[in-house]
Amino acid sequence: MTLFKNSILLLAFTAAHHAAAEGDAARGEKLYNRCSSCHAIIKDGEVLIKGGITGPNLYGVVGRAAGTENDYLNGSERLPIGMFTDDMIRAGENGLVWTQENIAAYARDPIGFIQDFLNDDTARPNMSVKLKTGAEDIAAYLATFTD
């Protein structure tokens, strides 16, 4: 009987963890204001979600190599957007491609995430804000902005 109970608890925990890891895009939309002071969402020069431009454009971030989005088209003029540290560029060059899961992990601890990915305790991204809650939801929301 104990083995059965433990199996049920393990299945329940796994299902809850999996559901939490997926995130809720509707909740993420409500939480996105945490990101908008540094990030805008811009598609082909059209600002979909207003925000700052010190961080990269988050349109199409899911599936994009880290440290590669550094400008956007505004009409016919290319404007700079996002400032990356050499470490973020290096992470992209070393294979870091953004997924919902690693965006959420990064948002929870940007410095630790990059240090772990690069296996370099001195590595630093520009982002230092840690999201204690809602990272999976914001990542799910960002995943809705793709072609």
Side-chain angles (χ1 to χ4, degrees), residues 2-146:
T2 303
L3 179 60
F4 179 73
K5 278 184 171 179
N6 289 344
S7 296
I8 295 295
L9 287 173
L10 180 61
L11 285 173
F13 174 77
T14 302
H17 176 73
H18 182 67
E22 288 181 8
D24 180 312
R27 245 187 322 215
E29 181 178 11
K30 293 175 185 170
L31 297 172
Y32 181 76
N33 65 340
R34 298 176 182 182
C35 310
S36 63
S37 62
C38 296
H39 299 277
I41 299 177
I42 303 165
K43 179 183 181 187
D44 299 329
E46 179 186 353
V47 177
L48 303 177
I49 306 293
K50 289 182 182 179
I53 59 171
T54 56
N57 174 11
L58 294 179
Y59 185 86
V61 67
V62 174
R64 183 169 68 213
T68 60
E69 175 66 15
N70 59 5
D71 62 16
Y72 70 96
L73 191 60
N74 183 14
S76 61
E77 181 182 8
R78 292 197 88 65
L79 300 174
I81 186 169
M83 299 179 300
F84 296 110
T85 61
D86 290 343
D87 293 324
M88 185 59 77
I89 293 167
R90 185 166 52 112
E93 290 170 347
N94 282 286
L96 178 56
V97 174
W98 293 117
T99 64
Q100 284 187 59
E101 293 78 17
N102 64 23
I103 289 169
Y106 176 76
R108 284 190 295 272
D109 183 8
I111 294 170
F113 179 90
I114 290 301
Q115 288 177 345
D116 288 347
F117 183 84
L118 292 173
N119 194 28
D120 178 351
D121 290 342
T122 67
R124 294 286 185 275
N126 279 357
M127 185 170 149
S128 60
V129 175
K130 293 181 179 182
L131 297 181
K132 294 181 185 204
T133 61
E136 291 85 4
D137 300 326
I138 291 170
Y141 175 62
L142 292 175
T144 67
F145 292 97
T146 59

